[in-house]
Structure formats: C-alpha cells, structure tokens
C-alpha cells in the first residue's frame, strides 16, 4: 500500500484538462511542433464542455449583418458590469468568429441559415442573435470535433489521470505529480510549460449544474504553485436549473429555451421579469408584455424581452419571487415555452431539453411549463493571466477557459464560455509552445518533494478511525449553498469561514477502505483539499468586496459602488497562508471607452 | 415504500461477484443516485464512472437487469418496490474494478477512422452547407460515446477475436457521418469493408435498441453504408450515373 | 494515445445473461408466424388449384406463367414443367421465388430471422448460439448485398398485382366491386408500402447523394421514403398477412365454402 513508486513522462507542453480549452490548447501546441501531453480526469470527450447547450457567441454577422466585434465586446463588458479585463474581452470578441469557422472546417455541423451559413440564436445580454449552435447540444459538437481533430495531431493523451500538485524548479514550474485513477499508481509529468484548463469549482455547492470533476483543481494547483487568483467572489448562478425531482436538482436548463421563445412566470401566472429590469439595461429592454411579444417577430422595432437579461439579473429575480412566496412548492418558478411555440419547433430546437424533462421529470415541455430555479454554474474568477499570452504569474504556467479569471468580469454572458475556451485555449497552446521552445535551460526536479507528496496522498489508507470523505463534501456543499450562495451577508460569510476551517481539520482525518485501484472514496478524499481551498478563496473574496455586482450580491451592501468597479480582489498564497489584496483593474484605452459612450 | 435490493457487481480482474445492498427509494431517483447513495454510506470504494448525470456525457454505462443502459437515465420507478435489481459492468470490455471497465478498444478504433478531407472553400473563403445537407449527419453527431452499442453488439460481445477486425456500431455511424458529409472528398469504401468490417454486422439492431440518444444506428447509418458498398456491384446505378454525368464515387 | 490497460479479462459474471424480462417471447412469435406462413404458402403452392375465382386471382399465382393456368396472365405461356418425384411443378413456386427472395434478403427480415432462427443473437445482451460467426462477410450470406436486384423484381410484381386488382373490378356482367376486390386492393397497398419502404429503394432513389441541396427531387424522394422506411417492419408483417389472407379468401370463394359479397 505504501508504494510511492512513480512513472515519469516528459513533454514540452503539458495540458491539464481535456475540455474545450484543453483540447484546443493541445491542438495548437502540437501544431507548433512541440511534444504535447494532455491529462484528463475522465475519459476523453466526457469533460464538462459536453454539457454546454446553448451555443458559441461569435459576431459572424450571419443573421444580423450589423453585428461586429465591437458590439460583442461592448455586450461582454456590460454583462460583466465593466469589471472584465478589457484586453481579454477585446481579443475574445475579435477572434471568436475565426475560431468558430475553424471548428466548422474540422467537421462541426452547426445549424444553418437559409443561405447555407451558420445560424445564430438569441441569448441573454447579447444585442444580436449571435450564438452559433447545434440544437441544444453545442458543447457536445464542439468537444467531439476537437477530440476527433486532436487524435490525429500526435498528442499523448493520459486519460483518467489526476494531477495533484505542480512542481517547481526555483521560480518556474517544471512538472506535475498525480495518479492514475485506474490503478492508483503515481505518475510524474516533467514539462517545460504547463497549461491549466481544468474548469471550475461548482462541486463546492449543493445545487449545481457541474459534475464531480469540478473541484477547483486548477485554481488550487495555481494557488499552491504561487500564482495569483482574481475575482473569486464572482460565482454565476444560472437562473434556470431543474428543481424537481430532488435527484435532478441543479441540472441545467439551457438559456436557449428563453432565447427561442420561453418566458418566466410565477405561480400567479405573472411574467415577473418586467418588475426586475435594472436601470443599467432599461434602454434596451421592453417594459411591457406587448412590446416583448412583438420583439420575437420584429426585432428591429421593439426592445428585447426582460427574460433575456444577463444571468445574474434573472437569477436574482427568480430568487426574489421564490422568497416572496410566488414560487412553486418545489422552490422554483415556471418556464413556459409551449404557449408560444408549437411542439415540433420545440422538439427540433431543444431536443435534449425535451428528452431530459421527459425522462427525468416526466414533464412534456411541449405541453406544460418547466419548473426551474437558480443553480451554481460557473466561476468568473480564476487564475490571473496575461491577456495576450494567457501566462499566469508563475513562469511556465498558463491558464485558459473557466480556470482563468478576468475575461468575464463579474458575470459571464451565456455563449461567451465556449468562445472563451476556443480563443484562449488556442492562445494558451500557442504561447506555452513558444515558451517551451525558447526555454533552453535544464529543469531539475527534487525527488524528495515528490516522495513526501506521495506519502501524504497515501495517508487516508493507513489512518485508523477517521472521517468519511463523502460526508465532508456533503457538509461543505451544505455550507456553501446556505452561506455563500446567490445572496450573501458578512455575518453568514464569517460563519462559512469558520465551518470551512473545521472541515479542513476533518479533511485531514479521512479514512478510506479498499485499495488503490479505481477507488472513488480515495479520489474524493484527495479532491477535498482543492475543494476546500477554492471554497475558502470564494468566501474570503466575497467578504472583501463590500458591494453588489454581477455574480456577487451582498444583502448588507446591496448597491454597486463605482470605486469597487476599478478593483480586482486578488488572492495569493504566501508562507502557507492566503493573502488578499485589492488591485486596480487594467485601464481601458480611450478608443474602446468610446464604444460605451456613443451608444448611450 | 418498500426497499429495493440492489445486486451490484463488485470485483476486479482476478474475480468477483454480486453483492446485495438495500436502499430506501426516493421520488424521481435514478439508478445512478442509488449507486451514489451506496457509495456515500455503505461502500466508499464502490467504483463507477459518471459525469453529467443528465444523459449528455455517456459515462455511466452499465447493465441494469441485464440490459445495457445509462444509469443516470434509468429511473427507479421502472421497477416494483421490493424488486431485486442487478447492476453489472458493461461486459464486452475488460474489467478494471466493480462497474468500471477498460473501454480503450473504442479509443483505438476511433484513431483508425480516416478523417474529413474538405473540398476547397467558396471564393469568399468560407463554406456553404444547407440544413437539408446536414440533417442526416447531425443525427449521428448526437452520439455521446457511451459505448452501449459497442457493448451490446454481439459481434464483439460474443466473439472476442472479432475485436481486431470490427469497429462496431459507434464507428459505423462515425464513418457514415464522414461519408455523407456534403463537403468531404475522401473515399472510405475500402476502409469500411476491410478495416471496419461492416460485413460482420448482421443488422440485428441491438445497437439501435440500446442507444440512449435514439439514433437510428442501423437504419440510417449501417444499412446506408452497406447500400453504398453495394453500389459498386449495381450496373443500373452505374449506368444512371454515367447518364447524368456523375462520377460513381467522389474522388 | 495511451490509456492504461490493467485488466485483460472481462467481468467474472458466470450467468450467460442477466435479463429478467421475457426476451424470448419475440423470437418465438417470429418463428411461429414465419413458420406458419411458410407451411401455408408451401401447401397452397402445391395445390395448383382454387387460385382463381373470377375476377379474382390469388397473388400466389400471379402472374400465371403456364399455358395451362386457370387464368393465364399473358397471351403466351410456358409449357408445364415436370420434375422428378413431385410431378407437375406448380407455377406458384416459380412465382413465389421472386417476392420470396425479396423478403429473404430484406434488411428487416434478416434482422428477424437472424435473431429468431439463427439465434445470433436471440435477443440483445443474450449470447449468440453460434461459435464461429462470420456475419454477412462470407459466402453465401455475402449475397445479401444483392438485395437491390430482388427489389427491382419486387417492383415488377407490384405492377402485375396492381393490374390484377384492376381486373378485379371486371365482373362477367360488367363493372363491379366485391369484397374480394377490396381484399385484393388492400393487399396491393400493403405490398406496395412494404416494397417502397425498402432500404435499398431509399438508397437508390436518393440516399446515395451527399449534397441534397443540389438535387431537390432526389432529396424529396429520399425524405418521403425515409418516413415510409421508419414503418418498414410494420409493412413487412402487414403485407405478409395480407398476401396469405388474400390467397385464403380467394381459395375459399373458389372452393365454394364462402360466397363473395357484391358491394356494387
């Protein structure tokens, strides 16, 4: 049992995570002619990207010729309440169309316009119909396309392999240490450059659309390796997750339902979103049902329905309706598409939603409304990166996708995630490869570092008595759900910190039955470290930001504060302790600032 | 409500057997919930794969009462309270532990599939495809790679030696999606017969029966591929296409 | 791509299958139905009598090829064929060979009899009985690829049976409709639905095209035939029953056991 032997693999670039960003990064790095390893916790093609439904935001202008990168950039910044890293938002808006067309050349089949180009759909916060999509399974199309393109590029894929810690040689990363889930044996990857593409942290919450994989691995790996995290207080609660039956609570209901004509109603039958239009979006949002209804057929002369406000606004509105006693007995509101759209249309546009409700809830969405409520979906915060190169603040470390912070500011628009994966995945792969090529010197790995880590990882097998890791995770999820949820207060956040502290103690006392071969109990025990780390980071950052903005709502500081609008909360680990600081946002150049003035 | 008895396979390559666990049912539960419940409370080390729990990722494939299914999409109200429900790993592949099998066969076969080779783009540098050109292939793109069709296909399930020469239903629809791509220019006909072994399929349609995405694997994928292979033997088709001035196969 | 292989052996489950539902019911039903049809049609073919009750001609004996037929379908006809032991070979055997081959090589019936008669496999996740399986890759099953030719033949039969059904309006005293007329029309419709919902038909009429937008007529044909094709199994059974029952009806009328009711 106490076998600390490990195998070693060596690559120029090691990509951790094989979702959209990781695959795109690996493909790009391989195209640069360096040796690439791709590590993923699950089987290839099962990453969280497959669950993305709605589409990829890109200003192709196929449906609305008026659309261009400037409009997309502006929407993204406004959706993020101007807290985004402007340069990332700019690169994202500029490069997304090329990335989508490239995907098509690699075999993706998006739904088509009448003239044979890529069809685009409406989504919350986007001025124009902008999301390239395939029904409601766009993420699946994207990951399959990247996967099948990737397998012919000479990438070494390490499936069902979990990276536990990054190793450093002086001030730069030199490799990653982890284990094979299948065998429980240890593995060391020596690499000149490492790309983190590990996704998010949603599994720290109880009601979440995220899978078991989302335990904040990349956030923690970066933090432990000395890199900065920013914006960790901004967690997106998707307004529409399933709420009933209990076993499916949290499973995502795509925003495409609303993009394609669905409206939110409370149990009194009111379209309550009209009561929750914030000042910021008044100019472009319909304030009465008649105009909103007309918008579906005549988008030029009417303002858009408030059902398609950015996600943070809609989630808060739903939350308020439920708190106000106008929700369903299962703590949800109603999402109705069957009134506006015929059954055929719904089945064609939203096949997996139809299937999901039919099979899991016994609800036929072509005949009855869906019951939905907010679910933890995405973290805007993450590893602080250089916008152009995706380089983290530690040499040799890069990050792309959900694990990177800054791009989405305080709230992400739907559809901007898939485009983010492609744009910054490619950049991460490119710049990591260039870094690896430039890097001449030798890398030395201290083997004592590795050996002590291995012993630490095996500890849960040998402890006597001890805690059940599943129970600790459940308690953490309960804590985060109740105390660091959609609406936060200082008092509850402090309570959460206390509980996380005690959970950290318990996590140090876990005991595991069985052996090292595919032992999910052991995997869970090891994942607890990162899960607790990110939970603590989120809570600390939420406590620090004394205002409400995007994905961070403080009941005790309910207004948006302009002073906070120029500040990122940065977390780093120094001498084993977490240190917080407030740091100024990068300043947007005048020509981009002008985009926001002329349209007002 | 009465309890369910879950008869779950526990074991590794050296051996194993079924073990009974009793579970209290709860409204709307699926088999995967029950497995998770057992994992959290009775057997921490019970190995099973899963990810999305919504039928989108295709990780939690298993055989429930002998039928290949996704555990996350199999509702417990399918069974009568008091029933004994067996949950076994997918049997066509080597066992790793408990409900987890080594599905690398599928990843090996995936690598062999000759990729897309597009014809040159339109003068403006982009491609045009109409919805009717891709409707048919979009059905195949729904595949979530749960490998239930591979598991149930008797060609490899009952004849281990055929794994070498047979790609299985998942890759027949992959091949069909490439072969029917309106912009593709590659001839895969010899690959389909010689390497993928389509002749071994006797279209008994179990792949279609178990597909959680309800893809018509046999009718829309495999049979059209068999028909395309038969085109080369059909002088009438050959004549008609000559008459229309088409090449019999894309170059 | 490296993936870790640790176990070469499959799960140690001794039961050959774990299905608890009555999976055997379907293959048994198929054996009974197809078996009964084979027995009846062979018997009926041997009769070489009672297949014509003017103006109705049994589909088993259409087109009637012999000069000696009760109702020759063509102006010319073949001489009677005698074979050893059996004696006079009923024309029905020559006729049934056509549609018989169509059904024998039909993608749907192949599924049905591979499962029910071959037991390869008898049901999903129930093991094959055969050890040395070669599928349709070797002779003689490789000939299944020629299904399309039998379809061309089957279309000819539909033409001829339609003609017979038209003739079924022509009673000795002029135009009329009897129950038998309806029976024959229902049979032709079932057979046509089965024949035109065939997978080979769908392929030949458009399925082979890759860029449908450039071939609108073939696209519409393919689209319509695809809808029909989804019901191919149903048409396969309906037409099997209809053809047998049509023969039964005409036989009973011809023997005089029942009387054909005139509607008009």
């Amino acid at each position: 049992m106490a076998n600390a032997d490990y195998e070693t693999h060596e690559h120029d670039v090691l990509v951790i995570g094989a979702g959209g960003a990781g695959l795109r990064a690996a493909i790009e790095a391989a195209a640069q002619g360096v040796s690439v390893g791709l590590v993923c916790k699950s089987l290839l093609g099962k990453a969280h990207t497959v669950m993305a439904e709605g589409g990829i935001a890109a200003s192709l202008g196929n449906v609305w010729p008026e659309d261009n990168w400037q409009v997309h950039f502006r929407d993204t910044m406004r959706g993020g309440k101007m807290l985004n890293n402007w340069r990332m938002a700019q690169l994202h808006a500029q490069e997304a169309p090329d990335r989508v067309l490239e995907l098509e050349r690699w075999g993706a089949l998006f739904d088509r316009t009448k003239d044979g180009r890529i069809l685009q759909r409406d989504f919350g916060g986007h001025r124009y119909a902008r999301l390239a999509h395939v029904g409601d399974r766009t993420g699946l199309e994207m990951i399959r396309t990247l996967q099948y393109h990737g397998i012919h590029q000479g990438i070494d894929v390490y499936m069902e392999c979990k990276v536990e810690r990054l190793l450093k040689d002086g001030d730069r990363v030199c490799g990653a240490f982890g284990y094979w889930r299948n065998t429980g044996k240890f593995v060391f990857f020596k690499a000149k450059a490492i790309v983190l593409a590990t996704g998010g942290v949603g599994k720290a919450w109880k009601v979440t659309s995220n899978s078991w994989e989302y335990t904040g691995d990349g956030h923690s790996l970066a933090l432990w390796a000395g890199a900065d995290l920013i914006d960790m207080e901004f967690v997106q609660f998707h307004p529409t997750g399933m709420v009933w039956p209990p076993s499916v609570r949290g499973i995502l209901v795509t925003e495409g339902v609303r993009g394609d004509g669905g409206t939110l109603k409370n149990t009194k039958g009111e379209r309550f979103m009209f009561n929750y239009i914030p000042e910021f979006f008044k100019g472009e949002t319909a304030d009465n049902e008649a105009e909103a209804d007309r918008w579906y057929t005549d988008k030029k002369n009417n303002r858009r329905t408030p059902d398609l406000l950015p996600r943070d606004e809609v989630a808060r509105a739903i939350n308020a309706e439920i708190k106000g006693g106008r929700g369903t007995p299962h703590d949800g509101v109603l999402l109705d598409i069957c009134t506006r759209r015929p059954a055929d249309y719904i089945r064609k546009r939203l096949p997996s939603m139809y299937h999901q409700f039919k099979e899991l809830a016994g609800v036929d969405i072509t005949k009855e409304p869906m019951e939905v409520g907010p679910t933890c979906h995405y973290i805007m915060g993450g590893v602080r990166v250089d916008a152009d190169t995706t380089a983290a603040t530690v040499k040799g470390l890069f990050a792309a996708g959900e694990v990177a912070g800054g791009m989405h500011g305080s709230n992400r628009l739907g559809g901007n995630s898939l485009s983010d994966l492609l744009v910054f995945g490619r950049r991460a792969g490119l710049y990591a490869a260039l870094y690896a090529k430039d890097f001449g010197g030798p890398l030395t790995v201290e083997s004592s570092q590795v050996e002590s880590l291995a012993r630490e990882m095996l500890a849960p097998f040998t402890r006597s008595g001890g805690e059940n890791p599943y129970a600790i995770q459940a308690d953490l999820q309960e804590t985060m759900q109740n105390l660091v949820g959609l609406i936060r207060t200082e008092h509850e956040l402090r309570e959460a910190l206390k509980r996380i502290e005690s959970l950290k103690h318990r996590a140090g006392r876990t005991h595991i039955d069985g052996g090292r071969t595919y032992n999910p109990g052991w995997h869970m025990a090891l994942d607890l470290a990162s899960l607790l780390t990110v939970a603590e980071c989120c809570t600390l950052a939420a406590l620090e930001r004394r205002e409400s903005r995007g994905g961070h709502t403080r009941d005790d500081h309910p207004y948006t504060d302009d002073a906070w609008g120029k500040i990122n909360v940065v977390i780093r680990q120094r001498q084993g302790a977490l240190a917080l600081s407030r740091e100024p946002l990068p300043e947007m150049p005048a020509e981009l600032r002008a985009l926001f003035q002329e349209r007002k | 409500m009465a309890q369910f008895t879950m008869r779950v396979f526990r074991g590794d390559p050296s051996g194993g057997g079924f073990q009974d666990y009793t579970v209290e049912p709860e409204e709307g539960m699926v088999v995967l919930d029950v497995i998770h419940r057992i994992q959290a409370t009775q057997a921490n080390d019970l190995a099973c794969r899963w990810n999305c729990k919504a039928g989108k990722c295709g990780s939690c494939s298993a055989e429930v009462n002998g039928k290949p299914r996704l555990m996350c999409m199999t509702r417990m109200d399918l069974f009568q309270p008091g029933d004994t429900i067996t949950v076994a790993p997918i049997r066509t592949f080597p066992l790793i532990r408990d409900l987890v099998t080594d599905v690398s066969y599928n990843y090996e076969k995936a690598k062999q599939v000759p990729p897309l080779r597009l014809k040159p783009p339109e003068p403006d540098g982009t491609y045009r495809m109409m919805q009717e050109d891709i409707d048919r292939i979009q059905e195949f793109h729904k595949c979530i790679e749960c490998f239930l069709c591979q598991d149930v296909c008797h060609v490899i399930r009952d004849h281990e030696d055929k794994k070498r020469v047979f790609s299985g239903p998942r890759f027949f629809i992959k091949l069909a999606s490439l072969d029917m791509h309106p912009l593709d220019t590659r001839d895969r006909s010899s690959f389909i017969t010689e390497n993928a072994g389509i002749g071994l399929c006797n279209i008994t349609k179990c792949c279609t029966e178990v597909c959680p995405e309800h893809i018509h694997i046999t009718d829309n994928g495999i049979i059209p591929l068999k028909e395309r292979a038969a085109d080369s033997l059909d002088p009438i088709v050959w004549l008609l296409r000559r008459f229309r001035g088409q090449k019999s196969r894309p170059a | 791509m490296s993936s870790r292989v640790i176990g070469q052996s499959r799960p140690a489950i001794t039961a050959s299958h774990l299905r608890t539902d009555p999976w055997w019911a379907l293959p048994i039903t198929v054996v009974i139905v197809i078996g009964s049809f084979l027995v009846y049609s062979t018997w009926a073919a041997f009769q070489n009598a009672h297949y014509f009750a003017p103006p109705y001609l049994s589909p088993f004996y259409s087109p009637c090829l012999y000069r000696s037929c009760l109702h020759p379908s063509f102006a010319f006809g073949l001489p009677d064929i005698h074979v050893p032991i059996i004696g006079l070979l009923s024309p029905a055997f020559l006729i049934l060979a056509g549609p018989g081959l169509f059904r024998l090589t039909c993608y749907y019936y192949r599924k049905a009899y591979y499962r029910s008669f071959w037991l390869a496999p008898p049901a999903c996740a129930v093991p094959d009985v055969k050890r040395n399986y070669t599928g349709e890759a070797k002779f003689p099953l490789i000939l299944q690829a020629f299904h399309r030719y039998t379809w061309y033949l089957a279309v000819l039969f539909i033409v001829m049976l339609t003609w017979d059904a038209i003739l079924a309006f022509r009673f000795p005293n002029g135009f009329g409709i009897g129950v038998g007329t309806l029976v024959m029309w229902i049979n032709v419709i079932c057979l046509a639905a089965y024949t035109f919902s065939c997978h080979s038909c769908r392929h030949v009429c458009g399925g082979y095209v890759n860029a449908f937008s450039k071939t609108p007529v073939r696209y519409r044909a393919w689209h319509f035939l695809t809808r029909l094709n989804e019901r191919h199994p149903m048409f396969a059974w309906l037409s099997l029953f209809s053809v047998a029952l049509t023969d039964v009806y005409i036989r009973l009328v011809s023997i005089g056991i029942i009387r054909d009711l005139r509607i008009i």
Side-chain angles (χ1 to χ4, degrees), chain A residues 516-536:
Chain A
R516 283 166 69 173
T517 311
Y518 218 110
N519 186 336
W522 183 42
H523 304 161
M524 169 73 76
L526 294 174
D527 286 347
L528 281 176
S530 51
L531 208 51
L532 286 161
T533 302
V534 291
E536 189 176 5

Side-chain angles (χ1 to χ4, degrees), chain C residues 78-229:
Chain C
L78 300 172
D80 289 351
I81 298 173
H82 289 269
V83 286
I85 305 168
I86 298 172
L88 177 68
L89 182 72
S90 162
F93 287 108
L94 293 180
I95 296 157
L96 288 177
L101 277 175
F102 180 52
R103 281 178 199 257
L104 186 72
T105 57
C106 160
Y107 285 100
Y108 172 70
Y109 278 107
R110 269 144 80 180
K111 173 212 161 186
Y113 64 75
Y114 285 142
R115 281 203 194 185
S116 312
F117 290 83
W118 251 255
L119 305 179
C124 301
V126 177
D128 272 13
V129 171
K130 272 181 78 125
R131 277 288 160 81
N132 296 318
Y133 173 84
T134 53
E136 298 184 335
K138 291 222 159 71
F139 184 83
L141 292 182
I142 199 167
L143 296 179
Q144 306 274 33
F146 291 96
H147 181 48
R148 197 177 300 173
Y149 292 105
T150 67
W151 177 73
Y152 294 141
L153 204 61
V155 173
L156 283 181
F157 274 90
I158 295 299
V159 173
M160 289 184 288
L161 291 174
T162 309
W163 180 243
D164 290 340
I166 292 170
L167 292 181
F169 288 121
R170 203 170 63 179
F171 285 82
N173 53 354
F175 177 81
I177 297 176
V179 171
T181 319
L182 297 184
V183 167
M184 286 181 70
W185 274 103
I186 290 169
N187 180 42
V188 165
I189 290 167
C190 288
L191 285 170
Y194 169 61
T195 307
F196 290 105
S197 62
C198 159
H199 293 84
S200 288
C201 166
R202 176 170 75 139
H203 175 79
V204 172
C205 296
Y208 66 91
V209 176
N210 285 346
F212 277 138
S213 55
K214 298 195 175 70
T215 58
V217 177
R218 272 170 280 172
Y219 172 63
R220 276 201 294 277
W222 173 83
H223 193 74
F224 171 73
L225 292 171
T226 297
R227 304 284 290 276
L228 217 54
N229 179 260

Side-chain angles (χ1 to χ4, degrees), chain A residues 234-245:
Chain A
F234 297 114
V235 176
Q236 179 169 77
F237 286 79
H238 194 289
T240 58
M242 291 178 80
V243 298
W244 191 259

Side-chain angles (χ1 to χ4, degrees), chain A residues 156-169:
Chain A
D156 286 317
V157 183
Y158 303 90
M159 286 195 259
E160 301 205 297
C161 181
K162 158 90 191 287
V163 169
E164 205 49 30
R165 206 68 60 90
L166 300 182
L167 300 179
K168 286 170 78 179
D169 178 13

Side-chain angles (χ1 to χ4, degrees), chain B residues 91 94-95 111 133 136 154 157-160 199-200 204 206 209 219 226-227 231 233-235 241, chain C residues 1 3 7 9-10 15 107 115 124 128 133 136 148-149 152 199-200 202-203 208-210 212-213:
Chain B
R91 291 171 71 172
L95 185 67
K111 256 170 74 172
D133 294 335
R136 186 168 46 161
H154 70 117
R157 187 183 176 93
D158 300 330
H159 310 280
E160 180 73 29
L200 286 169
T204 33
C206 285
E209 259 178 52
D219 289 316
K226 286 196 174 225
E227 282 295 312
D231 275 354
L233 309 170
D234 187 341
R241 288 181 200 176
Chain C
M1 195 180 314
S3 68
S9 59
R10 299 208 193 174
Y107 285 100
R115 281 203 194 185
C124 301
D128 272 13
Y133 173 84
E136 298 184 335
R148 197 177 300 173
Y149 292 105
Y152 294 141
H199 293 84
S200 288
R202 176 170 75 139
H203 175 79
Y208 66 91
V209 176
N210 285 346
F212 277 138
S213 55

Side-chain angles (χ1 to χ4, degrees), chain A residues 25-48:
Chain A
I27 289 168
E28 194 63 26
Q32 300 301 316
V34 299
S35 114
V36 182
L38 178 61
V39 184
C40 49
K41 274 210 293 192
S42 285
L43 296 172
L44 187 63
K46 308 293 180 197
H48 221 285

Side-chain angles (χ1 to χ4, degrees), chain B residues 49-244:
Chain B
R49 280 197 185 103
W50 70 286
N51 275 324
C52 75
K53 218 172 116 27
K56 292 195 176 75
C57 74
S59 299
C60 61
S61 304
E63 299 187 6
V64 181
N65 276 348
K67 277 191 190 170
R69 284 172 164 281
L70 291 182
M71 289 193 280
C72 71
M73 297 304 273
T74 307
R75 284 172 61 138
M76 290 300 287
D77 52 18
L78 215 69
F79 313 106
Q80 299 300 316
D83 276 2
T84 297
I85 299 147
T86 59
V87 183
I90 49 176
R91 291 171 71 172
T92 300
F93 304 111
L95 185 67
I96 291 172
R97 206 165 81 82
D98 300 345
L99 301 177
V100 177
T101 53
D102 173 11
V103 292
S104 51
Y105 162 81
N106 301 292
Y107 288 94
E108 297 300 326
K109 294 292 172 186
K111 256 170 74 172
Q112 297 168 3
V113 173
L116 202 62
R117 190 200 284 146
L118 291 190
K119 62 182 175 200
E122 307 278 319
D124 68 356
T126 66
Y127 287 97
R128 293 284 187 283
M129 284 182 271
M130 295 298 161
Q131 188 61 44
E132 63 261 35
D133 294 335
I134 61 166
D135 267 336
R136 186 168 46 161
I137 337 175
Q138 279 186 330
E139 182 188 8
F140 306 136
H141 279 217
K142 286 190 334 199
C143 173
I144 57 174
E145 298 204 328
C146 60
F147 306 130
L148 287 176
C149 58
Q150 306 286 82
D151 172 52
V152 82
C153 179
H154 70 117
V155 177
I156 50 174
R157 187 183 176 93
D158 300 330
H159 310 280
E160 180 73 29
D161 56 313
K162 295 291 184 287
K163 279 187 180 166
R164 214 170 32 81
V165 290
F166 186 71
S167 287
R170 192 281 168 260
F171 297 101
F172 290 137
I173 60 166
K174 178 73 196 166
L175 285 161
S177 76
L178 293 166
D179 211 54
M180 295 174 186
H181 195 292
L183 303 173
D184 180 59
T185 59
R186 199 187 287 269
D187 183 358
R188 293 179 187 76
S189 47
S190 72
F191 180 87
I192 290 169
T193 43
E194 282 150 40
N195 305 64
I198 197 160
L200 286 169
C201 167
N202 69 347
I203 50 170
T204 33
K205 278 182 104 163
C206 285
C207 49
T208 308
E209 259 178 52
V210 300
C211 179
E213 286 292 306
H214 309 297
I215 300 170
H216 298 87
I217 300 174
T218 318
D219 289 316
N220 292 351
I222 297 176
I223 293 176
L225 284 183
K226 286 196 174 225
E227 282 295 312
R228 281 170 181 235
D231 275 354
S232 54
L233 309 170
D234 187 341
I236 298 178
V237 166
W238 185 80
L239 270 176
L240 272 176
R241 288 181 200 176
R242 273 310 275 267
F243 178 69
R244 290 203 192 96

